[in-house]
Amino acid sequence: MIQEKKLVEEVSGWLRVYDDGSVDRTWTGPPEVKFMAEPVSPHEQFIDGIATRDVTIDQNSGLRARIYLPEEENPKFPIILHFPGGGFCISQADWFMYYQFYSRLAKSIPAIVVSVYLRLAPENKLPAACDDGYAALLWLKSLSKGESNEPWLNTHGDFNRVFLIGDSSGGNIVHEVAKRSGFIDLNPLRLAGAIPIHPGFVRAQRSKSELEQPQSPFLTLDMVDKFLALALPNGCTKDHPITCPMGSFAPPIDTLNLPPLMYCVAEKDLIKDTEMEYYELLKKANKDVELFHSTEMGHSFYLNKIAIDTDPVTAAQTSELIEGIKVFINKHGKRS
């Protein structure tokens, strides 16, 4: 007799974990939202000004990335290394929600975007995703030194203008990778800046904004609690340094060698209070940081294609975010 596996955890329609350790990431929420979490196949021919390809970064680990190349006459493009969000538990670099935003960003700047297929929890607990992000940066360094080759990046990429960007939990990875890179010599690559967008910085204790701000499809309290419980090492709370870099378990911000930051927050984000706590520490430590504030918006609003297409305010705020990123990259991408 075959014993039926039992559901032990479910997270807001995004994920189910069973007692045999298996994980089902089939979307079970509203069907009209499902397309945003579906993969977009790579296309090496240009479509609407963008070509994409998937490449293997590390043959041993199987780590991969998706590259976005803009169709522009430009000697060299800045390189944006992207870490997707999803509470370390869901989402992939090829999801439509990222494709629609990062293809647009790549065209607007213009820049090459390299989006990393991160390992997911609970199968791969933290710091696995951070290790993957750091490995991707070291891969870019190896390309810059001519130790390995990726034709699009080696032909069109400017390794003197490399930026990190990440959505939600990907913003946590931005911090972690920037922190680690401050202890090594990246030459001839130059890490010119970092852009955490609505990073998943939280504390074990609920913040005022968590208690008062509206929940959204892209962030609920259920997601905050359960995703991080699945992602963090066994026995750890949300006060872990990866999820709480402003906490007592993390190294003091003023001891870190961080690149210039464009720090993005949204007015109605559930976790805005703890995001701002990190920003205030950056300022106190005299770090080079610019705050970008999106009014009336919630967590990761710019990834919600339905809202972008139907709500003029979301559309306008998304355009302003893209323009802000463009200005930041142009400002900090000047050759040194």
Side-chain angles (χ1 to χ4, degrees):
M1 181 177 176
I2 300 175
Q3 187 174 1
E4 189 174 338
K5 60 186 180 182
K6 294 180 181 177
L7 182 69
V8 295
E9 191 64 274
E10 183 168 14
V11 189
S12 298
W14 288 104
L15 172 148
R16 287 147 301 286
V17 182
Y18 294 92
D19 60 352
D20 64 354
S22 61
V23 181
D24 179 9
R25 293 183 173 85
T26 306
W27 171 248
T28 59
E32 63 271 17
V33 176
K34 187 174 185 292
F35 77 97
M36 289 192 284
E38 290 182 335
V40 177
S41 298
H43 50 87
E44 296 202 13
Q45 74 282 14
F46 287 101
I47 298 175
D48 295 329
I50 286 290
T52 61
R53 70 191 304 178
D54 287 345
V55 299
T56 299
I57 290 175
D58 187 318
Q59 296 290 344
N60 295 321
S61 69
L63 182 62
R64 298 183 304 137
R66 169 154 295 191
I67 303 176
Y68 296 78
L69 178 68
E71 188 178 22
E72 294 273 350
E73 290 298 325
N74 199 322
K76 293 284 185 178
F77 298 108
I79 299 168
I80 303 174
L81 183 60
H82 169 239
F83 311 126
F88 308 105
C89 292
I90 59 167
S91 95
Q92 291 290 356
D94 60 2
W95 276 18
F96 178 78
M97 67 172 69
Y98 299 117
Y99 178 84
Q100 63 88 20
F101 182 78
Y102 284 96
S103 58
R104 183 178 169 187
L105 184 68
K107 283 189 294 185
S108 297
I109 291 175
I112 297 176
V113 175
V114 180
S115 185
V116 185
Y117 287 90
L118 302 165
R119 283 177 291 169
L120 300 176
E123 302 95 324
N124 303 281
K125 287 186 174 287
L126 291 171
C130 300
D131 294 342
D132 290 346
Y134 186 56
L137 180 63
L138 295 183
W139 174 66
L140 291 180
K141 177 188 174 183
S142 75
L143 295 177
S144 73
K145 295 179 72 174
E147 296 172 348
S148 51
N149 182 66
E150 198 299 308
W152 283 7
L153 284 163
N154 284 101
T155 302
H156 303 289
D158 183 352
F159 294 97
N160 196 55
R161 294 184 289 162
V162 174
F163 294 82
L164 307 177
I165 195 168
D167 325 282
S168 191
S169 58
N172 301 55
I173 300 173
V174 166
H175 168 81
E176 191 68 19
V177 172
K179 179 185 77 175
R180 295 187 194 183
S181 71
F183 295 104
I184 66 167
D185 180 8
L186 287 172
N187 283 321
L189 182 148
R190 180 174 73 97
L191 186 57
I195 309 168
I197 310 179
H198 313 165
F201 297 152
V202 292
R203 286 186 178 273
Q205 184 176 352
R206 283 263 190 266
S207 67
K208 188 168 181 281
S209 61
E210 283 179 292
L211 295 171
E212 295 180 357
Q213 293 284 21
Q215 301 184 64
S216 74
F218 284 95
L219 193 65
T220 64
L221 291 176
D222 188 56
M223 292 165 69
V224 171
D225 294 343
K226 292 180 179 178
F227 277 156
L228 297 186
L230 291 168
L232 287 164
N234 293 332
C236 293
T237 72
K238 286 183 282 189
D239 291 329
H240 187 281
I242 293 175
T243 47
C244 187
M246 59 283 185
S248 58
F249 297 111
I253 298 292
D254 59 7
T255 67
L256 304 181
N257 180 20
L258 299 174
L261 289 111
M262 174 182 172
Y263 192 70
C264 304
V265 298
E267 182 180 9
K268 295 183 178 179
D269 196 331
L270 266 184
I271 55 175
K272 183 182 178 183
D273 286 356
T274 37
E275 290 172 340
M276 288 302 296
E277 188 182 350
Y278 174 84
Y279 168 72
E280 293 299 334
L281 283 179
L282 290 171
K283 283 207 313 180
K284 187 177 179 182
N286 294 315
K287 299 301 181 185
D288 185 347
V289 56
E290 303 170 24
L291 182 67
F292 187 92
H293 185 265
S294 298
T295 58
E296 300 183 47
M297 294 292 103
H299 193 81
S300 298
F301 68 89
Y302 56 95
L303 299 178
N304 187 342
K305 190 65 165 67
I306 296 173
I308 293 169
D309 289 344
T310 59
D311 175 39
V313 178
T314 302
Q317 289 290 330
T318 299
S319 295
E320 287 185 22
L321 175 61
I322 289 172
E323 182 61 25
I325 294 170
K326 179 178 180 178
V327 168
F328 177 82
I329 286 177
N330 287 339
K331 174 182 176 182
H332 294 281
K334 296 185 174 76
R335 293 174 183 269
S336 59

